[in-house]
Every structure is written in C-alpha cells, then in structure tokens.
Amino acid sequence: MGPMDVLEKAVGGERLTESEVLSLFDLPLPELAAAAHEVRLQKTHPEVVTFLIDRNINYTNVCTVGCAFCAFYRTRRQKDAYTLTYEAIAEKVEELYQVGGRRILMQGGVNPELPLEWYLDLLRYLKNRFPDLRIDAFSPEEILGLERLTGLRAEVILERLMEAGLDGMPGAGAEILVDEVRQKAAPARIKTADWYRIVDAAQALGLYTLASMVIGFGEGPRERTAHLLGLRAQQDKAREKYQNGFAAFALWTLQVEHTRLKGKAPGATAHEYLKTLAIARLTLDNFAHLQASWPTLGFKVAQAALYYGADDFGSTMLEENVVSAAGGHGRTHATVREIVRQIVDAGFRPAERDPLYRILRYPDPKALLEEGLELPLA
Ligand code: SF4
C-alpha cells in the first residue's frame, strides 16, 4: 500500500498500522492537510472551533527534577523560588471569576517541602470558597513526587485528592513517551511506564485527562509514531475498561531559548508542527478533539492548524509561566476577544466550551469585536 492509499484508508475511518503511520511522514504537507481536515470535519462540528476560558496557576516553582528543557524551575535556595499561599491562589481564582471563567489548570514543580496535606488543604480551601470552580491540577510527575514522599500508591493519592476536590489531572509531562528521548533531555524526568501507570490510575478513577506531545527534542518519525500509538492504545483501554479517556490531544513545540537545551535540541519548525498535527489527526482515530497551540508558535500558525486537523483553539490561559519562561512566542495569555477574532478570521464559528468539550455558548463575534467589549461572556 502506497502512502496515498494510507491517506484514503484514514479518511475512510480505518485504523492505521505502525508502518502506515510512518509512511505518512514522507508525504507532502498539502496532501496530509487535506486528509486530516477531512477527518476533522467528519468527527467534529464542521463549522465550529471551540475554546475555553481558564487560568493557569503555577503554585510553586521549586522543583528537584531539573529537566534541561525547563527554565521555570528553581532550587529551593534560589532567591526567586516561590510557593504561593492559599490566599494568593484564591486571588488568582477571583480574577478568573471576574472574566467568567470557572476552571483552573494548576501545576507546579516537584517540591519535597510540600506534604500531601498541603495539597489536600489547598483543594478543600478552594472548593469551600469557590464551590463551582473546576480544578484540573497536577501532572503525573507531581503525583510520582508525592508517591516518593508519602510511600503511598498513585491510586490512593489521587483518591484522596479527589475527595478534597480534584476534578482532573492534565497530561503534562508527556513530551515524547519514548525513554531514549526522555533520557537525553531530562534523565530524572518521569519514565514512560510511570507516566502511563499514573494516567491509567487517574482514568480508572474517572478523572479528566488530556493527552499531549511536545516535538523538537531531536526525535524522528519513529519516536513520534511510537508516542502517538501509545496514546491511542491507552485511549482504547480507558474507553473500554473505564468508560473514560483523554478529553483531547494537544501538540506543542519545544521551546529552548532560555534553557540548557539551547543549541543541543533542534526544536521544531511550523512546517514540522503542522505535519505532525495532521499525522496525529489521521492516527488518533479514537480522539474527537485536537487542540491548536498558539503559545508556542503564535496565532497565525494556530489558525493554519485549524486546517491541519485541529478543531479547538485551546484556552485563554490567563497566566502561563512554563512555556513563556522557556522562550515561547511572546504570548502568555489571550483574551476572549483575541481568540474569537482568530477563529472568525480563520473562517469558523467560535464556541466557548468546558474542559470536557461540552459547548457552553456561542459568543456573538460582532458584539465582541465591533463594540470592543473585552469579556462579555459570563
Ligand atoms: S518541567 Fe516540571 S518537572 Fe521538569 S524541571 Fe520543570 S517544573 Fe520540574
């Protein structure tokens, strides 16, 4: 079967094998884009592009893992090391409420000075003050840190966090789930098997999870294919065993500007990003939603991504420190108006959604853009 037949197979709804996915990397971008967009139109509302109003909160930058690609973390002795107080976190949530958002994405470093009780008390504190707040927080890396600190298994830790108010565990820290690639970029980083083990535990408990991928470590088509097939297999398992699964897939490019990987890892061009995104759409046949990433490559590439398989524009991220510290595209957050403008200009109808991709409302772009109202959605 030639690569063009593989495209037909994917558009026809058939699952691709490993060698078929690999063959897609040799195809020109326009062919991949056309097939990926066709599959996106089949799977999601063809005219609509969704987005989410949310806020990132990085509760601590103290971290003992020390990934070479990370410019965000600090050792506990560094002057600008911080851990936010509960009150400071609540203030950030308050600001989110003022613009109509009800979801925080809260992640931080692996900080051994924070016991499990600190996390449990934080979740209870926030849920008490903001009963309708949705808290998607902590990555498999942070849960692994808590396993090491407490001697408890991820299942137990996650259960206790859920009882205290946790709604979901985003899938950060996936990067490329191939240990040879991870070993070079961050030897102490969570290993592939542990990442899947902890995500599996979260999915078994009914927690929201998100699948992600970061390209640009110097990995090739083989590693990218392995990553995508691993996520697809986990999605099959979660759907079948737990009637759960990843809510979506998000692709990012590695930012190395201010990190120790500068000059050592190649990063990824917009061309590579769009190609890998299209291949992801054709490979991940059990995912409905793919996000376009504007923080790493800017609004224009994110708009193009809407024709390479993505159906979602991500979120406002009112605050984001990890990508920006590493040298992102100069954007750390976007307003609703900006996101709506990008979606409309790209030729789609914007829809505000929740983290589970349920549409909440269709903002009126005319009112939003012409009357200059910044955030009239609440
Ligand atoms: S990426 Fe996460 S785990 Fe790695 S050093 Fe940065 S904060 Fe720590």
PDB file of all heavy atoms in Angstrom, residues 64-87:
ATOM      1  N   THR A  64      12.772  19.508  42.112  1.00  0.00           N
ATOM      2  CA  THR A  64      14.007  18.733  42.255  1.00  0.00           C
ATOM      3  C   THR A  64      14.318  17.885  41.023  1.00  0.00           C
ATOM      4  O   THR A  64      15.314  17.177  40.993  1.00  0.00           O
ATOM      5  CB  THR A  64      13.894  17.780  43.470  1.00  0.00           C
ATOM      6  OG1 THR A  64      12.666  17.062  43.342  1.00  0.00           O
ATOM      7  CG2 THR A  64      13.911  18.535  44.782  1.00  0.00           C
ATOM      8  N   VAL A  65      13.457  17.957  40.004  1.00  0.00           N
ATOM      9  CA  VAL A  65      13.664  17.082  38.838  1.00  0.00           C
ATOM     10  C   VAL A  65      14.730  17.664  37.898  1.00  0.00           C
ATOM     11  O   VAL A  65      15.563  16.937  37.350  1.00  0.00           O
ATOM     12  CB  VAL A  65      12.322  16.834  38.099  1.00  0.00           C
ATOM     13  CG1 VAL A  65      12.521  15.922  36.896  1.00  0.00           C
ATOM     14  CG2 VAL A  65      11.300  16.220  39.050  1.00  0.00           C
ATOM     15  N   GLY A  66      14.698  18.976  37.704  1.00  0.00           N
ATOM     16  CA  GLY A  66      15.764  19.640  36.950  1.00  0.00           C
ATOM     17  C   GLY A  66      15.850  19.282  35.478  1.00  0.00           C
ATOM     18  O   GLY A  66      16.946  19.010  34.958  1.00  0.00           O
ATOM     19  N   CYS A  67      14.721  19.317  34.766  1.00  0.00           N
ATOM     20  CA  CYS A  67      14.746  19.000  33.328  1.00  0.00           C
ATOM     21  C   CYS A  67      15.539  20.069  32.580  1.00  0.00           C
ATOM     22  O   CYS A  67      15.346  21.273  32.814  1.00  0.00           O
ATOM     23  CB  CYS A  67      13.326  18.968  32.776  1.00  0.00           C
ATOM     24  SG  CYS A  67      12.243  17.843  33.667  1.00  0.00           S
ATOM     25  N   ALA A  68      16.384  19.631  31.646  1.00  0.00           N
ATOM     26  CA  ALA A  68      17.240  20.578  30.917  1.00  0.00           C
ATOM     27  C   ALA A  68      16.432  21.511  30.021  1.00  0.00           C
ATOM     28  O   ALA A  68      16.914  22.564  29.628  1.00  0.00           O
ATOM     29  CB  ALA A  68      18.255  19.804  30.087  1.00  0.00           C
ATOM     30  N   PHE A  69      15.186  21.139  29.693  1.00  0.00           N
ATOM     31  CA  PHE A  69      14.385  21.986  28.803  1.00  0.00           C
ATOM     32  C   PHE A  69      13.512  22.969  29.580  1.00  0.00           C
ATOM     33  O   PHE A  69      12.698  23.682  29.001  1.00  0.00           O
ATOM     34  CB  PHE A  69      13.492  21.122  27.895  1.00  0.00           C
ATOM     35  CG  PHE A  69      12.597  20.173  28.642  1.00  0.00           C
ATOM     36  CD1 PHE A  69      11.412  20.599  29.209  1.00  0.00           C
ATOM     37  CD2 PHE A  69      12.963  18.839  28.785  1.00  0.00           C
ATOM     38  CE1 PHE A  69      10.598  19.735  29.902  1.00  0.00           C
ATOM     39  CE2 PHE A  69      12.158  17.958  29.486  1.00  0.00           C
ATOM     40  CZ  PHE A  69      10.978  18.407  30.042  1.00  0.00           C
ATOM     41  N   CYS A  70      13.692  23.024  30.897  1.00  0.00           N
ATOM     42  CA  CYS A  70      12.781  23.823  31.723  1.00  0.00           C
ATOM     43  C   CYS A  70      13.499  25.051  32.274  1.00  0.00           C
ATOM     44  O   CYS A  70      14.503  24.937  32.973  1.00  0.00           O
ATOM     45  CB  CYS A  70      12.240  22.972  32.865  1.00  0.00           C
ATOM     46  SG  CYS A  70      11.137  23.882  33.968  1.00  0.00           S
ATOM     47  N   ALA A  71      12.960  26.239  31.971  1.00  0.00           N
ATOM     48  CA  ALA A  71      13.528  27.478  32.508  1.00  0.00           C
ATOM     49  C   ALA A  71      12.665  28.001  33.652  1.00  0.00           C
ATOM     50  O   ALA A  71      12.903  29.079  34.170  1.00  0.00           O
ATOM     51  CB  ALA A  71      13.616  28.528  31.411  1.00  0.00           C
ATOM     52  N   PHE A  72      11.662  27.251  34.021  1.00  0.00           N
ATOM     53  CA  PHE A  72      10.693  27.697  35.036  1.00  0.00           C
ATOM     54  C   PHE A  72      11.149  27.319  36.444  1.00  0.00           C
ATOM     55  O   PHE A  72      10.988  28.084  37.384  1.00  0.00           O
ATOM     56  CB  PHE A  72       9.339  27.049  34.711  1.00  0.00           C
ATOM     57  CG  PHE A  72       8.341  27.130  35.827  1.00  0.00           C
ATOM     58  CD1 PHE A  72       7.716  28.329  36.128  1.00  0.00           C
ATOM     59  CD2 PHE A  72       8.023  26.000  36.573  1.00  0.00           C
ATOM     60  CE1 PHE A  72       6.793  28.405  37.166  1.00  0.00           C
ATOM     61  CE2 PHE A  72       7.117  26.071  37.612  1.00  0.00           C
ATOM     62  CZ  PHE A  72       6.495  27.283  37.903  1.00  0.00           C
ATOM     63  N   TYR A  73      11.762  26.183  36.596  1.00  0.00           N
ATOM     64  CA  TYR A  73      12.007  25.681  37.953  1.00  0.00           C
ATOM     65  C   TYR A  73      13.166  26.406  38.633  1.00  0.00           C
ATOM     66  O   TYR A  73      14.061  26.968  38.005  1.00  0.00           O
ATOM     67  CB  TYR A  73      12.274  24.167  37.920  1.00  0.00           C
ATOM     68  CG  TYR A  73      13.699  23.782  37.591  1.00  0.00           C
ATOM     69  CD1 TYR A  73      14.631  23.574  38.612  1.00  0.00           C
ATOM     70  CD2 TYR A  73      14.123  23.629  36.279  1.00  0.00           C
ATOM     71  CE1 TYR A  73      15.940  23.226  38.321  1.00  0.00           C
ATOM     72  CE2 TYR A  73      15.420  23.291  35.975  1.00  0.00           C
ATOM     73  CZ  TYR A  73      16.328  23.093  36.996  1.00  0.00           C
ATOM     74  OH  TYR A  73      17.627  22.767  36.710  1.00  0.00           O
ATOM     75  N   ARG A  74      13.149  26.364  39.978  1.00  0.00           N
ATOM     76  CA  ARG A  74      14.227  26.900  40.803  1.00  0.00           C
ATOM     77  C   ARG A  74      14.539  25.877  41.896  1.00  0.00           C
ATOM     78  O   ARG A  74      13.664  25.106  42.297  1.00  0.00           O
ATOM     79  CB  ARG A  74      13.794  28.213  41.496  1.00  0.00           C
ATOM     80  CG  ARG A  74      13.463  29.344  40.541  1.00  0.00           C
ATOM     81  CD  ARG A  74      14.715  29.900  39.877  1.00  0.00           C
ATOM     82  NE  ARG A  74      14.434  31.005  38.974  1.00  0.00           N
ATOM     83  CZ  ARG A  74      14.095  30.889  37.690  1.00  0.00           C
ATOM     84  NH1 ARG A  74      13.983  29.699  37.131  1.00  0.00           N
ATOM     85  NH2 ARG A  74      13.876  31.956  36.951  1.00  0.00           N
ATOM     86  N   THR A  75      15.770  25.901  42.371  1.00  0.00           N
ATOM     87  CA  THR A  75      16.066  25.095  43.557  1.00  0.00           C
ATOM     88  C   THR A  75      15.557  25.892  44.757  1.00  0.00           C
ATOM     89  O   THR A  75      15.382  27.106  44.671  1.00  0.00           O
ATOM     90  CB  THR A  75      17.574  24.857  43.711  1.00  0.00           C
ATOM     91  OG1 THR A  75      18.212  26.130  43.861  1.00  0.00           O
ATOM     92  CG2 THR A  75      18.147  24.149  42.489  1.00  0.00           C
ATOM     93  N   ARG A  76      15.379  25.205  45.890  1.00  0.00           N
ATOM     94  CA  ARG A  76      14.716  25.927  46.985  1.00  0.00           C
ATOM     95  C   ARG A  76      15.572  27.055  47.551  1.00  0.00           C
ATOM     96  O   ARG A  76      15.083  27.948  48.210  1.00  0.00           O
ATOM     97  CB  ARG A  76      14.269  24.952  48.074  1.00  0.00           C
ATOM     98  CG  ARG A  76      15.389  24.270  48.805  1.00  0.00           C
ATOM     99  CD  ARG A  76      14.821  23.281  49.784  1.00  0.00           C
ATOM    100  NE  ARG A  76      15.426  21.965  49.571  1.00  0.00           N
ATOM    101  CZ  ARG A  76      15.216  20.945  50.341  1.00  0.00           C
ATOM    102  NH1 ARG A  76      14.362  21.029  51.319  1.00  0.00           N
ATOM    103  NH2 ARG A  76      15.826  19.810  50.119  1.00  0.00           N
ATOM    104  N   ARG A  77      16.890  27.021  47.285  1.00  0.00           N
ATOM    105  CA  ARG A  77      17.754  28.081  47.818  1.00  0.00           C
ATOM    106  C   ARG A  77      17.817  29.320  46.921  1.00  0.00           C
ATOM    107  O   ARG A  77      18.335  30.344  47.320  1.00  0.00           O
ATOM    108  CB  ARG A  77      19.175  27.544  47.992  1.00  0.00           C
ATOM    109  CG  ARG A  77      19.288  26.601  49.149  1.00  0.00           C
ATOM    110  CD  ARG A  77      20.723  26.211  49.429  1.00  0.00           C
ATOM    111  NE  ARG A  77      20.797  24.851  49.929  1.00  0.00           N
ATOM    112  CZ  ARG A  77      20.297  24.445  51.088  1.00  0.00           C
ATOM    113  NH1 ARG A  77      19.691  25.294  51.882  1.00  0.00           N
ATOM    114  NH2 ARG A  77      20.401  23.191  51.461  1.00  0.00           N
ATOM    115  N   GLN A  78      17.343  29.223  45.717  1.00  0.00           N
ATOM    116  CA  GLN A  78      17.429  30.384  44.821  1.00  0.00           C
ATOM    117  C   GLN A  78      16.499  31.511  45.290  1.00  0.00           C
ATOM    118  O   GLN A  78      15.421  31.240  45.842  1.00  0.00           O
ATOM    119  CB  GLN A  78      17.096  29.969  43.383  1.00  0.00           C
ATOM    120  CG  GLN A  78      18.295  29.336  42.684  1.00  0.00           C
ATOM    121  CD  GLN A  78      17.958  28.870  41.285  1.00  0.00           C
ATOM    122  OE1 GLN A  78      17.318  27.834  41.096  1.00  0.00           O
ATOM    123  NE2 GLN A  78      18.372  29.644  40.291  1.00  0.00           N
ATOM    124  N   LYS A  79      16.942  32.732  45.036  1.00  0.00           N
ATOM    125  CA  LYS A  79      16.221  33.888  45.578  1.00  0.00           C
ATOM    126  C   LYS A  79      14.786  33.983  45.079  1.00  0.00           C
ATOM    127  O   LYS A  79      13.889  34.401  45.798  1.00  0.00           O
ATOM    128  CB  LYS A  79      16.965  35.170  45.169  1.00  0.00           C
ATOM    129  CG  LYS A  79      18.073  35.538  46.116  1.00  0.00           C
ATOM    130  CD  LYS A  79      18.361  37.043  45.987  1.00  0.00           C
ATOM    131  CE  LYS A  79      19.746  37.355  46.484  1.00  0.00           C
ATOM    132  NZ  LYS A  79      20.747  37.421  45.436  1.00  0.00           N
ATOM    133  N   ASP A  80      14.593  33.645  43.807  1.00  0.00           N
ATOM    134  CA  ASP A  80      13.243  33.794  43.257  1.00  0.00           C
ATOM    135  C   ASP A  80      12.423  32.498  43.320  1.00  0.00           C
ATOM    136  O   ASP A  80      11.437  32.347  42.607  1.00  0.00           O
ATOM    137  CB  ASP A  80      13.295  34.350  41.832  1.00  0.00           C
ATOM    138  CG  ASP A  80      14.286  33.605  40.955  1.00  0.00           C
ATOM    139  OD1 ASP A  80      15.020  32.745  41.493  1.00  0.00           O
ATOM    140  OD2 ASP A  80      14.326  33.859  39.740  1.00  0.00           O
ATOM    141  N   ALA A  81      12.825  31.572  44.184  1.00  0.00           N
ATOM    142  CA  ALA A  81      11.992  30.378  44.416  1.00  0.00           C
ATOM    143  C   ALA A  81      10.732  30.819  45.160  1.00  0.00           C
ATOM    144  O   ALA A  81      10.794  31.698  46.007  1.00  0.00           O
ATOM    145  CB  ALA A  81      12.772  29.368  45.258  1.00  0.00           C
ATOM    146  N   TYR A  82       9.596  30.238  44.801  1.00  0.00           N
ATOM    147  CA  TYR A  82       8.358  30.630  45.498  1.00  0.00           C
ATOM    148  C   TYR A  82       7.407  29.457  45.660  1.00  0.00           C
ATOM    149  O   TYR A  82       7.454  28.485  44.909  1.00  0.00           O
ATOM    150  CB  TYR A  82       7.646  31.773  44.744  1.00  0.00           C
ATOM    151  CG  TYR A  82       6.957  31.329  43.453  1.00  0.00           C
ATOM    152  CD1 TYR A  82       5.700  30.704  43.485  1.00  0.00           C
ATOM    153  CD2 TYR A  82       7.543  31.524  42.216  1.00  0.00           C
ATOM    154  CE1 TYR A  82       5.068  30.297  42.316  1.00  0.00           C
ATOM    155  CE2 TYR A  82       6.921  31.121  41.044  1.00  0.00           C
ATOM    156  CZ  TYR A  82       5.680  30.502  41.100  1.00  0.00           C
ATOM    157  OH  TYR A  82       5.061  30.087  39.944  1.00  0.00           O
ATOM    158  N   THR A  83       6.561  29.563  46.667  1.00  0.00           N
ATOM    159  CA  THR A  83       5.367  28.734  46.776  1.00  0.00           C
ATOM    160  C   THR A  83       4.245  29.695  47.123  1.00  0.00           C
ATOM    161  O   THR A  83       4.366  30.467  48.084  1.00  0.00           O
ATOM    162  CB  THR A  83       5.501  27.678  47.892  1.00  0.00           C
ATOM    163  OG1 THR A  83       6.581  26.803  47.530  1.00  0.00           O
ATOM    164  CG2 THR A  83       4.229  26.848  48.025  1.00  0.00           C
ATOM    165  N   LEU A  84       3.183  29.691  46.342  1.00  0.00           N
ATOM    166  CA  LEU A  84       2.093  30.637  46.580  1.00  0.00           C
ATOM    167  C   LEU A  84       1.319  30.255  47.837  1.00  0.00           C
ATOM    168  O   LEU A  84       1.147  29.069  48.139  1.00  0.00           O
ATOM    169  CB  LEU A  84       1.125  30.639  45.387  1.00  0.00           C
ATOM    170  CG  LEU A  84       1.694  31.104  44.038  1.00  0.00           C
ATOM    171  CD1 LEU A  84       0.611  31.008  42.962  1.00  0.00           C
ATOM    172  CD2 LEU A  84       2.229  32.531  44.112  1.00  0.00           C
ATOM    173  N   THR A  85       0.848  31.262  48.552  1.00  0.00           N
ATOM    174  CA  THR A  85      -0.039  30.987  49.689  1.00  0.00           C
ATOM    175  C   THR A  85      -1.419  30.636  49.141  1.00  0.00           C
ATOM    176  O   THR A  85      -1.745  30.970  47.987  1.00  0.00           O
ATOM    177  CB  THR A  85      -0.176  32.228  50.583  1.00  0.00           C
ATOM    178  OG1 THR A  85      -0.736  33.283  49.781  1.00  0.00           O
ATOM    179  CG2 THR A  85       1.172  32.657  51.150  1.00  0.00           C
ATOM    180  N   TYR A  86      -2.243  30.012  49.978  1.00  0.00           N
ATOM    181  CA  TYR A  86      -3.621  29.705  49.553  1.00  0.00           C
ATOM    182  C   TYR A  86      -4.348  31.001  49.180  1.00  0.00           C
ATOM    183  O   TYR A  86      -5.114  31.048  48.225  1.00  0.00           O
ATOM    184  CB  TYR A  86      -4.390  29.021  50.685  1.00  0.00           C
ATOM    185  CG  TYR A  86      -3.909  27.630  51.046  1.00  0.00           C
ATOM    186  CD1 TYR A  86      -4.498  26.946  52.096  1.00  0.00           C
ATOM    187  CD2 TYR A  86      -2.887  27.001  50.341  1.00  0.00           C
ATOM    188  CE1 TYR A  86      -4.080  25.672  52.448  1.00  0.00           C
ATOM    189  CE2 TYR A  86      -2.458  25.737  50.679  1.00  0.00           C
ATOM    190  CZ  TYR A  86      -3.055  25.071  51.747  1.00  0.00           C
ATOM    191  OH  TYR A  86      -2.644  23.824  52.085  1.00  0.00           O
ATOM    192  N   GLU A  87      -4.077  32.048  49.954  1.00  0.00           N
ATOM    193  CA  GLU A  87      -4.753  33.331  49.704  1.00  0.00           C
ATOM    194  C   GLU A  87      -4.349  33.894  48.338  1.00  0.00           C
ATOM    195  O   GLU A  87      -5.190  34.397  47.591  1.00  0.00           O
ATOM    196  CB  GLU A  87      -4.406  34.366  50.794  1.00  0.00           C
ATOM    197  CG  GLU A  87      -4.976  34.052  52.172  1.00  0.00           C
ATOM    198  CD  GLU A  87      -4.244  32.925  52.899  1.00  0.00           C
ATOM    199  OE1 GLU A  87      -3.076  32.632  52.522  1.00  0.00           O
ATOM    200  OE2 GLU A  87      -4.830  32.317  53.808  1.00  0.00           O
TER     201      GLU A  87
END
